[in-house]
Amino acid sequence: MTHKPAGPPDGGWGWVVAAAAFAVNGLSYGLLRSLGLALPDLAEHFDRSAQDTAWVSALALAVQQAASPVGSALSTRWGARPVVMVGGVLTSLGFVFSAFARSLLHLYLGLGVLAGSGWALVFAPALGTLSRYFSRRRVLAVGLALTGNGASSLLLAPALQLLLDNFGWRGALLLLGAITLHLTPCGALLRPLALPGDPLGPPRSPLAALGLGLFTRRAFLVFALGTALVGGGYFVPYVHLAPHALDRGLGGYGAVLVVAVAAVGDAGARLLCGWLADQGWVPLPRLLAMFGALTGLGLLAVGLSWGGPLLAAAGAYGLSAGSYAPLVFGVLPGLVGVGGVVQATGLVMMLMSLGGLLGPPLSGFLRDETGDFTASFLVCSSFILSGSFIYMGLPSALPSCRPASRPGTLPPERGELLPNPQVALLPPGGPHSTLDSTC
C-alpha cells in the first residue's frame, strides 16, 4: 500500500515538478508566442494572406487547448509521467514534419494538428500535478512554472529570428523539432503523488474521466464562461504582436524587442502576483477580475500605439497578462478541490481554445480588411473586458458590505472558495448570535 501524506508537501520534490512545468510551459506557450515571427515568411513563400497563415498558430493553439481534457483524462488513468513523455515526442514530430511542408495544408496538419496534439498531452497534466504538490504556496509555484512562457519568449524570439535569417523557415522548424523533444525528459520528472480524497480507482466512464460533472457547480460555470471570453483576445498577441510591430515600421529586430519587452513584463508579473495572491490579502477571484480587466486595457493600448509608446504598451500588457495567468490556475483548487484540479485544468484549456480558435483568425481577417492590426486589438480587448466582468459573479469577487470573519486556518486541500462554516458574531445588544452578512 502507498502511504498517503496528510496533505500536499508544499515543497520538496514539488520544486523539481515546478522546474519541469517551467520547461513545459516554455516549450509550449513560449514557443507559440515566438512562432508569430515566422508567419510573414510563410505568407511570402506560399503567397497567402495574413489570415491564412494565422490559422497555423491558431490551429496549434486551439488543438492544444481543445484536446487538453483528453490529456487530463489520460493522466488520470495512467499518470502524468507517461502521458507527458508521449506528448513531447508528438510535438517534436509535428515540427519535423512541417519543415518539409509543400503547402499551408501540410503546416496545418504538422504544426496545427500533430504538434498541437502533443502540446495537449503535456501542459494540463504537468500543471495539474504541480498544483497537487503545493497548498500554502500554490499560486507562487504556479506563477513560477508559468514564467517559463516569458523566459522562453525572451530567449526564443531573438533565436528564432536569427534562425530565420540564416537557415530560412524550414531549417528553423527542423531545429525547433529537436528543441521540443526536451519535453520528454520533463515528463519523466513528474513523480506521482497520492493524497487523501483521491479516488480509489480510475474513472469508470469517459465522461467521468473528462470531469464534465464540474460544470454542474455554479461557481465553476461562471468561471468557465468568463474564461472562454477572455480566451477570445488573450492569445492574439501570441500570434500578431510581432507582425503588428512590423506594420508599425519597427523592423525585424524592433519587433523582437517588442515581444521581448512583453515577455519580461509577463515573466516578472507571474512571480510577483503569485507571491501576492498567496498572502491572502485580497481574495483570488477579485484579483482575477481585476487583472483580467487590466489585460484588456493593455491590449487596447497596444492596438493604439506607435513607435516608442508601443514598447511601453507592450510592457504594460505583459505585466497585466502575466499577473492574470497564475490566478486562472491558482483559483481552481478553491473551486473544485485539489482532487479535481487535473481535470479542471484540462477543461480550462478547452474553454480557452474556443477563443484561441476565433481570436487570431479574426485578427488576421480584420487586418486584411483594414490594412493594419488596430481594429484587431480593439475587438479582441473587448472580449477580455467582457470575460473579466463575468468573473465578478464568482464568490468573493466583489467586496462585502462589511468585513467578514475569517477562520483561523483553512485545510490546504480544500481551498478558500469551498464552503466553510459561517462565523457567528455577537451583536452589541445581546448574547444572541447573528451571521455575518455580505452584499
Side-chain angles (χ1 to χ4, degrees):
M1 295 180 62
T2 302
H3 171 70
K4 290 187 177 182
D10 218 29
W13 190 261
W15 294 116
V16 178
V17 176
F22 174 92
V24 166
N25 188 51
L27 294 176
S28 54
Y29 283 108
L31 185 53
L32 266 173
R33 173 177 286 183
S34 302
L35 203 57
L37 292 169
L39 294 184
D41 287 358
L42 296 177
E44 180 181 358
H45 180 84
F46 293 107
D47 193 23
R48 304 294 288 270
S49 66
Q51 181 184 4
D52 293 335
T53 54
W55 277 101
V56 175
S57 296
L59 276 175
L61 182 62
V63 171
Q64 185 261 337
Q65 294 181 312
S68 286
V70 177
S72 297
L74 294 175
S75 176
T76 303
R77 178 64 180 84
W78 284 290
R81 177 179 285 169
V83 173
V84 174
M85 294 177 71
V86 171
V89 174
L90 290 179
T91 303
S92 178
L93 289 176
F95 275 91
V96 172
F97 174 82
S98 299
F100 300 95
R102 299 298 178 187
S103 68
L104 274 183
L105 177 61
H106 295 159
L107 290 173
Y108 294 158
L109 294 175
L111 288 179
V113 178
L114 189 56
S117 298
W119 279 324
L121 297 182
V122 301
F123 185 80
L127 206 62
T129 301
L130 175 62
S131 295
R132 291 172 56 83
Y133 269 89
F134 289 88
S135 57
R136 302 298 180 189
R137 291 179 286 185
R138 179 178 288 132
V139 184
L140 176 61
V142 170
L144 176 63
L146 293 180
T147 56
N149 185 334
S152 177
S153 298
L154 184 62
L155 295 175
L156 285 178
L160 179 56
Q161 186 64 51
L162 185 64
L163 292 176
L164 290 170
D165 290 342
N166 289 277
F167 301 104
W169 65 268
R170 294 188 187 275
L173 292 182
L174 193 62
L175 291 172
L176 289 178
I179 293 174
T180 53
L181 191 59
H182 289 79
L183 288 167
T184 300
C186 291
L189 297 175
L190 302 181
R191 179 185 296 172
L193 177 66
L195 293 174
D198 287 346
L200 298 178
R204 296 182 179 181
S205 67
L207 292 180
L210 293 173
L212 297 181
L214 296 176
F215 287 107
T216 60
R217 305 187 182 191
R218 179 190 173 277
F220 185 78
L221 189 60
V222 171
F223 173 81
L225 180 58
T227 302
L229 283 172
V230 169
Y234 188 84
F235 296 105
V236 169
Y238 280 52
V239 181
H240 285 147
L241 180 58
H244 175 57
L246 291 173
D247 279 356
R248 296 305 201 200
L250 294 181
Y253 287 95
V256 168
L257 181 60
V258 171
V259 174
V261 167
V264 170
D266 187 293
R270 293 182 185 216
L271 285 176
L272 181 60
C273 185
W275 173 83
L276 173 65
D278 282 336
Q279 303 310 304
W281 296 329
V282 182
L284 292 183
R286 195 174 305 167
L287 286 174
L288 182 69
M290 180 177 69
F291 283 114
L294 290 175
T295 302
L297 294 176
L299 197 59
L300 182 67
V302 168
L304 296 175
S305 300
W306 295 73
L310 179 58
L311 286 174
Y317 162 77
L319 288 171
S320 54
S323 299
Y324 169 84
L327 295 170
V328 173
F329 300 101
V331 78
L332 286 178
L335 294 175
V336 302
V338 73
V341 71
V342 176
Q343 294 170 318
T345 301
L347 291 175
V348 168
M349 305 308 299
M350 180 190 70
L351 292 167
M352 298 195 80
S353 75
L354 301 176
L357 183 62
L358 169 66
L362 176 61
S363 175
F365 170 77
L366 292 174
R367 195 270 180 203
D368 291 337
E369 293 295 318
T370 62
D372 59 35
F373 286 101
T374 301
S376 303
F377 283 93
L378 296 184
V379 170
C380 292
S381 69
S382 68
F383 285 120
I384 299 180
L385 292 172
S386 299
S388 302
F389 178 78
I390 291 177
Y391 283 148
M392 296 172 67
L394 290 172
S396 303
L398 295 175
S400 59
C401 292
R402 53 179 174 170
S405 299
R406 182 182 178 90
T409 303
L410 293 177
E413 68 273 9
R414 287 182 58 84
E416 66 173 322
L417 302 185
L418 295 183
N420 292 301
Q422 290 181 295
V423 179
L425 299 177
L426 290 178
H432 301 289
S433 63
T434 59
L435 294 178
D436 191 9
S437 61
T438 56
C439 291

